[in-house]
Every structure is written in structure tokens, then in C-alpha cells.
Amino acid sequence: MLSQRDQQVIWHPFTQMQTASLPIAIVKGEGTYLFDENGKKYIDAISSWWVNLHGHAHPYIVEKISEQLKKLEHVIFAGFTHEPAIALAEGLLKQLPGNQSKIFYSDNGSTAVEVAIKMAFQYWYNKEKPRTKIIAFKDAYHGDTFGAMSVGGRNAFSAPFSPFLFDVIHIDIPVKGKEKETIAQLKTAINTNEVAAFIFEPLVLGSAGMIMYEPEILNELLKLCKQKNVLCIADEVMTGFGRTGKFFATDYIEEKPDIFCLSKGITGGFMAMGVTACTQEIYNAFLSDDKMKTFFHGHSYTANPLACAAGVASLELLATPPLIPPQRGGKCYEPWENIKMIGLLHKNFELEIKNHPLVKDVRQRGTILAIELETSENTSYFNSLRDKLYTYYIEQGILLRPLGNIVYVLPPYCISKSDLNCIYKVIEQSLLKS
Ligand SMILES: *Cc1c(COP(=O)(O)O)cnc(C)c1O
């Protein structure tokens, strides 16, 4: 059994190894489904931690990675370049707003955020007007490395490290009814003229429990930041690539961020990749005869050609009009049609479930649906309801991973109506049990 061999040698992420049940060994993925070593099939209702867009083992991405694999698996990215890196940068810049002009590669969401923070601080340093503060939302999640943890909300996960995290000005999430408070807090913070940047998850704060707020208020916050030359960093690691119904969540607003952090869906969920995109203005601040103005940052696997090839293939699948012919995996799958369909079905289910006595709140944006359950316990991630629900869903053959008392659905775009209905039905049944 793979599960037992695993237990001898592996330490899993976000897992209390003493009490965790044996991990489920997956031997095959296909479209929306995962298959374990006993042949049991699961619907992947959370896109394998929010990374998968077009389904597992999508034939077109498989083909593109294997073509690249036969040509060049990896090469140092300082002093060297390659076609997939250039093609992906070109493709991303086509989708990003017009103010974006350069792509900096790394290898995951946390590093994309680290790079963004370092770019922002060094931008001001290079201009010899150092600014030392960052604004972020309370309860934000930007990754698990130290810089990313520092700008994230302070909670039980970061507690052991709190003495080592740098100071950040945390403002309230501008959820409905709280917008004025957030505006006031932002204004106070930026009036000091010490703020280098404002980092935010646009419209949906994922790990916080799929907390949502409206585009209008985000636009307002960015407008205020721009008046004070505070750099705006959109962490679109989770929200990018169609997740919220538009290509980027910030496509819902008029003001444009200065820096974008991308990862997760960027390769369709096939390879590890992080991207930090920035404006020409930021890039220019690092151009100098003075070597000390260089951006000294890089990772061994920066711009890995296989990851870039996967990224290009995934962008091609997202292209409108569709580029990929049916016989190469484009069949019956038009991601933007599906994204719309998922949004509509989510909305219908929201209406159906929102008056259920155990349901405290239902939120939806694009392909993301979150159902917050009533609970007598504290509403943290460590809520015992969470474990009961998780186990029940797995038994029913559905991979759903509630965040505390918040059950959310965030499926690959290739999911069928009947699989979505199956997920909704199991969620409804779980309410009877909890
Ligand atoms: C997941 C996530 C990250 C971190 O990405 P990793 O690849 O897991 O390091 C950063 N920001 C947001 C908004 C995320 O959802």
C-alpha cells in the first residue's frame, strides 16, 4: 500500500501527523476525477488546492510539456533565455492590463509575493526615497515564506514566528457594511507617506474563508493609494486565470495595479511556477550604471521551460476564440462557456440553500462558491465540524476541504453539470448530518 509506505518517510503540509488519517494515494487523474490506489473515484471539487483549470492530465498540456521535454528540460535563466519563457511572458502581457510591461519568473505563489514585496521596497530604495511600510488586509493569505507570512493576517499558523515577522499595517477587509472603516484606515496609513505598497487579494480572500468584497470599494482603495504613489500589488495567485469569472479579478475594476502576483492556475495546475509582473515605471527604477540598483533575486528553477510550456498551453486553452481543435482536447470544452455555466449553477444552488437553518451565509463570485455554516464552536480552522465534513465528503467520493466552518466549491472549469449537481447534493446531505 502506498499510503503505508508514505507514512514511513513523508511529512505532509498543513497536517498534524500524529492524528491525521492515512493519506489517500492517487494513482491517476483524468479531467475532473482523481482515482486512488483502490480504484475509488473522487470528484476534485477544489481543483487540487486551487491550481487545476482544465482538468487533470489534460491531453493538450500533456502534449506540449512532452514536446518541450524532448527539447530542453531546464537551463539557467541568468544570461540565458528560451522560447517558452518568452512566449509565456508575451501571452501573459496580452492578458494583463496595458500598464504591465515586464515579467519576472519564480516558482510558486509565495515567491511571486516575496518578489513583489522586494521589488516594491527596492523601488523606493533605488529612488533614494525609502519607504518602509506595507499595507495589507487583516486575515489575508499571501503564502508561507517569511515575507509573505509578514503581510498575511496574524493567526494560529503564524504564531510561532510572530517575533520574526516585519511590521505591517493591517486594515479591515472591506466586506459589505464595513467599507467606510477600511477607507478611513487606509487614509490614515497612507498619509504618513511612508507606505511603499498596498498588497491585496482582489475581491476574494481565499484562505481567510473565501471572504468576498465588491469591486467598487477595491477601486476606491486603489485610487487613494495612487494619489499617494503607494504601489498597488494585486495577489492574483488564486483569483487569476478566470477563477472569478473574468480573466483577472482586477479586470472588474478600472484602476490598475502596479504589480501582479500569479501562480496556481498559471500552468493549468501542471507545474510549479510563479510570476511577478510589473510596470515599466517600476522596472526603470532598477536600471542604472550603479550595480547596487540591480534586483538581486532568483531561484534555481526560475522560468523552467517545462513549466513555461505548460503555461503557454494553458493560455492557449483559455484563448477566445478557441485555438485548440477538438481532437487535441478542445472537444466539448470551451472554458469561458463553462466558467459561465459554473457561475450560474452556483448561483442557483446559493438561492436553494441560503435559507437553510444551518447556513449562516452563502457567497459566490465566478467559479467560487462558499457556504458558511452555523456552528456553536469558535469559527476557526480547527473547528471540529470541519473534520467531520471533510471525512463525509471523502467517503462520498468528493474532494472538498472546508476552511473551518466554511465549505467551498472551486472546481476545474471542465466539470460537468451532473458532477456539479452531485457536489451540491452531497453538501446538502452533509447539512442533515452536521
Ligand atoms: C496559495 C496562495 C499563495 C501562495 O502560493 P503557494 O504557491 O502555495 O506558495 C499566495 N497568495 C494567495 C492569494 C494564495 O491563494
Side-chain angles (χ1 to χ4, degrees):
M1 286 281 285
L2 289 172
S3 300
Q4 265 120 22
R5 270 170 61 199
D6 171 288
Q7 211 179 25
Q8 298 304 312
V9 289
I10 292 174
W11 186 350
H12 285 270
F14 282 101
T15 303
Q16 176 43 259
M17 298 304 291
Q18 179 162 304
T19 48
S21 44
L22 281 180
I24 298 164
I26 297 299
V27 293
K28 181 179 144 92
E30 194 182 338
T32 317
Y33 308 122
L34 295 167
F35 298 87
D36 75 12
E37 60 182 329
N38 303 313
K40 182 171 171 175
K41 178 168 125 180
Y42 303 84
I43 298 175
D44 185 353
I46 59 159
S47 300
S48 281
W49 251 350
W50 322 346
V51 300
N52 195 287
L53 301 187
H54 313 291
H56 292 279
H58 189 286
Y60 185 68
I61 304 181
V62 169
E63 176 190 317
K64 288 299 182 183
I65 296 174
S66 38
E67 272 174 19
Q68 181 56 43
L69 188 50
K70 288 173 209 150
K71 286 190 274 192
L72 173 69
E73 81 303 336
H74 188 63
V75 64
I76 176 174
F77 206 59
F80 290 80
T81 192
H82 50 81
E83 212 270 335
I86 299 164
L88 181 58
E90 288 168 347
L92 289 171
L93 288 170
K94 235 178 252 161
Q95 300 296 341
L96 285 161
N99 72 341
Q100 295 297 298
S101 93
K102 290 289 183 289
I103 297 293
F104 190 96
Y105 286 111
S106 62
D107 35 37
N108 61 69
S110 304
T111 56
V113 167
E114 295 289 336
V115 167
I117 297 169
K118 286 174 73 173
M119 258 182 201
F121 280 138
Q122 196 180 338
Y123 167 85
W124 291 107
Y125 176 92
N126 282 1
K127 287 171 85 80
E128 287 162 28
K129 291 183 250 173
R131 293 187 176 196
T132 54
K133 299 258 160 64
I134 293 218
I135 303 176
F137 285 133
K138 280 176 196 159
D139 295 329
Y141 179 77
H142 295 292
D144 288 337
T145 50
F146 272 90
M149 251 197 307
S150 294
V151 292
R154 302 302 155 85
N155 54 30
F157 299 118
S158 63
F161 316 106
S162 65
F164 315 112
L165 303 180
F166 60 76
D167 275 342
V168 166
I169 305 170
H170 281 110
I171 62 174
D172 287 325
I173 306 168
V175 292
K176 256 201 196 93
K178 296 277 179 202
E179 294 94 338
K180 284 211 184 82
E181 280 93 327
T182 305
I183 296 261
Q185 292 164 6
L186 183 92
K187 277 187 177 160
T188 309
I190 59 181
N191 279 338
T192 60
N193 288 322
E194 286 173 28
V195 177
F198 167 44
I199 185 166
F200 54 92
E201 296 165 83
L203 309 189
V204 188
L205 284 88
S207 299
M210 302 295 159
I211 307 293
M212 301 188 191
Y213 60 94
E214 295 300 313
E216 293 72 25
I217 178 69
L218 181 60
N219 202 54
E220 193 62 34
L221 296 173
L222 261 63
K223 209 183 264 172
L224 289 166
C225 285
K226 301 236 157 187
Q227 284 166 10
K228 293 282 183 185
N229 296 321
V230 171
L231 298 177
C232 297
I233 305 173
D235 179 353
E236 294 244 18
V237 167
M238 187 276 280
T239 51
F241 304 96
R243 196 43 83 188
T244 66
K246 292 191 189 265
F247 205 100
F248 294 112
T250 46
D251 291 342
Y252 282 94
I253 67 172
E254 265 162 41
E255 295 290 336
K256 293 305 161 204
D258 303 285
I259 299 178
F260 280 80
C261 305
L262 308 174
S263 187
K264 293 208 166 109
I266 192 168
T267 61
F270 275 61
M271 304 281 301
M273 149 119 335
V275 154
T276 310
C278 72
T279 59
Q280 191 68 31
E281 155 87 14
I282 293 172
Y283 177 76
N284 286 347
F286 294 75
L287 302 179
S288 174
D289 297 328
D290 178 1
K291 279 226 164 74
M292 291 321 292
K293 298 210 163 163
T294 308
F295 191 50
F296 289 114
H297 188 108
H299 299 276
S300 321
Y301 281 96
T302 286
N304 174 258
L306 302 174
C308 291
V312 172
S314 177
L315 278 184
E316 286 171 342
L317 285 166
L318 285 171
T320 42
L323 285 175
I324 312 308
Q327 64 274 24
R328 295 171 76 197
K331 187 169 120 213
C332 306
Y333 172 59
E334 285 205 27
W336 295 101
E337 289 302 311
N338 269 37
I339 286 168
K340 252 187 253 159
M341 177 276 286
I342 295 166
L344 280 174
L345 263 65
H346 276 356
K347 201 91 225 154
N348 290 343
F349 184 60
E350 173 179 347
L351 295 176
E352 203 180 307
I353 195 108
K354 72 173 187 197
N355 293 321
H356 191 289
L358 286 175
V359 172
K360 193 168 164 198
D361 187 36
V362 192
R363 315 181 265 277
Q364 183 256 340
R365 165 92 53 197
T367 68
I368 307 167
L369 174 73
I371 302 158
E372 186 167 342
L373 302 181
E374 293 284 2
T375 164
S376 48
E377 281 178 73
N378 66 6
T379 54
S380 82
Y381 184 88
F382 305 104
N383 195 302
S384 71
L385 178 62
R386 186 231 166 248
D387 294 342
K388 269 190 274 174
L389 290 169
Y390 176 77
T391 309
Y392 176 73
Y393 298 139
I394 288 292
E395 278 166 14
Q396 300 300 310
I398 298 187
L399 169 51
L400 280 167
R401 216 183 130 86
L403 292 154
N405 60 322
I406 296 151
V407 179
Y408 68 91
V409 187
L410 192 153
Y413 305 153
C414 65
I415 194 166
S416 67
K417 283 185 187 169
S418 64
D419 282 337
L420 271 173
N421 285 325
C422 176
I423 295 168
Y424 302 146
K425 206 171 83 202
V426 169
I427 291 176
E428 255 183 314
Q429 283 164 355
S430 73
L431 296 187
L432 296 174
K433 314 233 163 215
S434 57

